[in-house]
């Protein structure tokens, strides 16, 4: 049976209230939680807070030697998340464009959940990640379900020589990329 931390439940309620459809699925949340728990000491970052669902999963895996920071450009969402996470002293939610978050580098782990940061901004994300740090991107379509043979976003990450990358199924219809920066 899948464990759902109480804060994740509250963030899901917020997403429901705001009719926000872009929160991560529970399988990705579980994955993030475990990966955060295993991350090296330092900054754990999130690009795209949304209603805080993935933040809540990540915070549940956070260790005392981690700092968590997440960025969101929508002021309404940012304010609602601030109120929801008011008792989470370890969480730092920033309002602004995702590039603001780069000031907090180096990241030991970063969940990239804004399209621009996955595409044009990928080099900036990689440069902000510590050597040995982990980058996670979800919302990919697994190879066997893909209509087009090429997926530029996926290829861009896989072909980057600074990274070792793998793709894992999160459900039968969805996949995520896990990348470790090695140089
Ligand atoms: C996929 S949703 C995030 C969902 C969240 N990570 C979760 O799984 O619960 C992407 C979020 O990024 C925000 N966003 C879009 N462009 C952005 C930008 N340039 N800078 C910061 N946030 C941005 C959107 O407003 C949206 O809330």
């Amino acid at each position: 049976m899948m464990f759902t931390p109480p804060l994740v439940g509250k963030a899901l309620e917020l997403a429901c209230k705001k009719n926000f459809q872009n929160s991560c699925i529970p399988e990705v949340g579980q994955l993030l939680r475990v990966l955060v728990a295993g991350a090296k000491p330092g900054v754990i970052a999130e690009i795209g807070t949304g209603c805080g669902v993935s933040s809540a999963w990540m915070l549940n895996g956070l260790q005392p030697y981690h700092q968590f920071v997440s960025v969101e450009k929508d002021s309404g969402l940012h304010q609602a998340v601030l109120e929801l996470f008011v008792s989470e002293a370890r969480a730092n939610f920033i309002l602004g464009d995702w590039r603001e978050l780069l000031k907090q580098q180096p990241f030991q782990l970063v969940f990239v959940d804004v399209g621009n940061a996955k595409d044009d901004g990928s080099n900036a994300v990689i440069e902000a990640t510590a050597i040995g740090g982990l980058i996670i991107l979800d919302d990919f379509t697994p190879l066997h379900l893909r209509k087009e043979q090429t997926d530029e976003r996926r290829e861009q990450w896989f072909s980057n020589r600074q990274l070792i990358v793998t793709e894992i199924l999160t459900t039968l219809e969805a996949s995520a990329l896990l990348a470790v920066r090695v140089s």
Side-chain angles (χ1 to χ4, degrees):
M1 202 173 73
M2 213 183 256
F3 161 70
T4 304
L7 197 53
V8 172
K10 287 186 183 168
L12 285 168
E13 281 170 22
L14 176 65
C16 194
K17 204 168 90 186
K18 291 203 169 275
N19 198 23
F20 182 85
Q21 311 277 346
N22 299 322
S23 301
C24 73
I25 58 174
E27 290 83 352
V28 169
Q30 293 272 351
L31 177 68
L32 289 169
R33 173 174 174 257
V34 167
L35 294 176
V36 166
K40 292 176 190 155
V43 178
I44 307 297
E46 173 179 60
I47 298 177
T49 313
C51 286
V53 174
S54 50
S55 312
W57 279 110
M58 292 169 83
L59 283 166
N60 196 265
L62 206 74
Q63 299 303 305
Y65 43 80
H66 292 142
Q67 302 92 51
F68 178 81
V69 59
S70 178
V71 66
E72 171 60 52
K73 72 166 187 187
D74 181 305
S75 58
L77 292 180
H78 169 74
Q79 189 55 40
V81 166
L82 276 186
E83 286 163 23
L84 193 66
F85 290 76
V86 69
S87 55
E88 280 291 332
R90 302 166 306 162
N92 180 14
F93 292 99
I94 297 174
L95 173 63
D97 182 72
W98 68 268
R99 287 179 186 272
E100 285 294 310
L101 191 78
L102 300 175
K103 294 176 188 159
Q104 313 269 339
Q105 64 179 281
F107 306 141
Q108 294 301 338
L109 179 150
V110 54
F111 176 43
V112 187
D113 210 10
V114 166
N116 174 255
K118 294 182 183 182
D119 297 325
D120 293 349
S122 62
N123 281 333
V125 172
I126 294 163
E127 289 302 325
T129 304
I131 306 282
L134 185 61
I135 305 171
I136 303 135
L137 297 85
D138 70 346
D139 288 338
F140 283 84
T141 303
L143 197 57
H144 65 279
L145 294 177
R146 223 173 281 147
K147 292 195 184 84
E148 298 88 22
Q149 284 306 301
T150 56
D151 176 344
E152 270 184 41
R153 175 177 287 171
R154 187 179 176 282
E155 293 315 316
Q156 175 178 310
W157 284 88
F158 265 94
S159 62
N160 191 304
R161 289 169 177 268
Q162 288 177 280
L163 305 172
I164 291 182
V165 187
T166 190
E167 181 173 4
I168 60 158
L169 283 181
T170 48
T171 68
L172 290 178
E173 291 89 33
S175 60
L177 299 195
L178 304 184
V180 173
R181 182 176 173 194
V182 292
S183 69

